[in-house]
Amino acid sequence: MQNSEFIGIAFWQTFIKWQKNCNRALKKHNISQTQFTLLLVIKQHLDEEIGTSQMNIADSAGIDKMTASKVLRSLEEAGLLNRRDHPTDTRSKLIELTKAGIKTLEQTKSTFKEFDKDFFGNLKNEKKFKKSLNDLNKTNKE
């Protein structure tokens, strides 16, 4: 089903190709697209002093709590972040990046930017496309 009549199917097929190729590009950093996204979200939350609970991170990344928990655990095992108990909510974990996590994120960003540029290089109007995706994200709830 290469040229679907449904925009959602075409979007999904493109996303799957994007994710597979992205994971291939990030492999040299021993990190997946989902791991990179979570590191990026954590860094943004820390920079903007937004809460860094697992739930906040999952919500900002747009992934379910169980997936976030598994991926965060793998990042912790790799020494890229620490999870500690929340001081007032015993059900919650707070996330902080380690020095290795910050270094990995910074090294990986350039690879990700290059990959994104190559993958989306054929777009006639990248800014308009990005705005359209952001608009869809804002107006459509889960």
Side-chain angles (χ1 to χ4, degrees), residues 6-37:
F6 301 105
I7 194 168
I9 299 294
F11 174 79
W12 179 70
Q13 289 173 328
T14 303
F15 169 75
I16 296 299
K17 286 180 184 177
W18 175 86
Q19 189 176 47
K20 284 180 182 179
N21 286 297
C22 184
N23 281 328
R24 197 173 297 127
L26 295 176
K27 189 173 182 144
K28 67 181 173 184
H29 298 286
N30 295 316
I31 196 167
S32 71
Q33 174 266 319
T34 306
Q35 290 172 317
F36 173 75
T37 300

Side-chain angles (χ1 to χ4, degrees), residues 62-97:
I63 61 175
D64 65 86
K65 312 309 183 253
M66 182 63 78
T67 300
S69 180
K70 288 179 183 178
V71 174
L72 290 169
R73 188 175 308 114
S74 73
L75 290 168
E76 183 178 37
E77 290 168 359
L80 302 180
L81 60 82
N82 292 316
R83 295 187 305 168
R84 59 183 172 83
D85 292 335
H86 191 284
T88 58
D89 184 353
T90 56
R91 299 166 297 152
S92 185
K93 296 278 189 195
L94 293 177
I95 311 299
E96 48 195 24
L97 295 177

Side-chain angles (χ1 to χ4, degrees), residues 8-142:
I9 299 294
F11 174 79
W12 179 70
Q13 289 173 328
T14 303
F15 169 75
I16 296 299
K17 286 180 184 177
W18 175 86
Q19 189 176 47
K20 284 180 182 179
N21 286 297
C22 184
N23 281 328
R24 197 173 297 127
L26 295 176
K27 189 173 182 144
K28 67 181 173 184
H29 298 286
N30 295 316
I31 196 167
S32 71
Q33 174 266 319
T34 306
Q35 290 172 317
F36 173 75
T37 300
L38 289 180
L39 288 176
L40 199 60
V41 168
I42 294 164
K43 180 75 167 86
Q44 181 181 14
H45 278 228
L46 291 169
D47 290 349
E48 297 176 10
E49 297 182 7
I50 302 171
T52 58
S53 70
Q54 282 188 191
M55 191 168 80
N56 288 350
I57 300 302
D59 288 343
S60 290
I63 61 175
D64 65 86
K65 312 309 183 253
M66 182 63 78
T67 300
S69 180
K70 288 179 183 178
V71 174
L72 290 169
R73 188 175 308 114
S74 73
L75 290 168
E76 183 178 37
E77 290 168 359
L80 302 180
L81 60 82
N82 292 316
R83 295 187 305 168
R84 59 183 172 83
D85 292 335
H86 191 284
T88 58
D89 184 353
T90 56
R91 299 166 297 152
S92 185
K93 296 278 189 195
L94 293 177
I95 311 299
E96 48 195 24
L97 295 177
T98 62
K99 288 181 183 179
I102 293 168
K103 183 178 178 183
T104 297
L105 179 59
E106 292 307 314
Q107 290 172 338
T108 308
K109 272 185 184 179
S110 61
T111 301
F112 187 84
K113 284 180 184 177
E114 185 178 315
F115 162 74
D116 242 15
K117 184 180 172 186
D118 289 345
F119 190 89
F120 294 108
N122 289 330
L123 286 176
K124 292 182 182 9
N125 190 333
E126 183 179 336
K127 286 182 183 179
K128 186 175 181 180
F129 180 72
K130 185 176 177 181
K131 182 182 179 330
S132 294
L133 289 176
N134 286 329
D135 289 347
L136 284 170
N137 233 349
K138 288 177 192 169
T139 58
N140 292 289
K141 305 291 179 207
E142 292 179 30

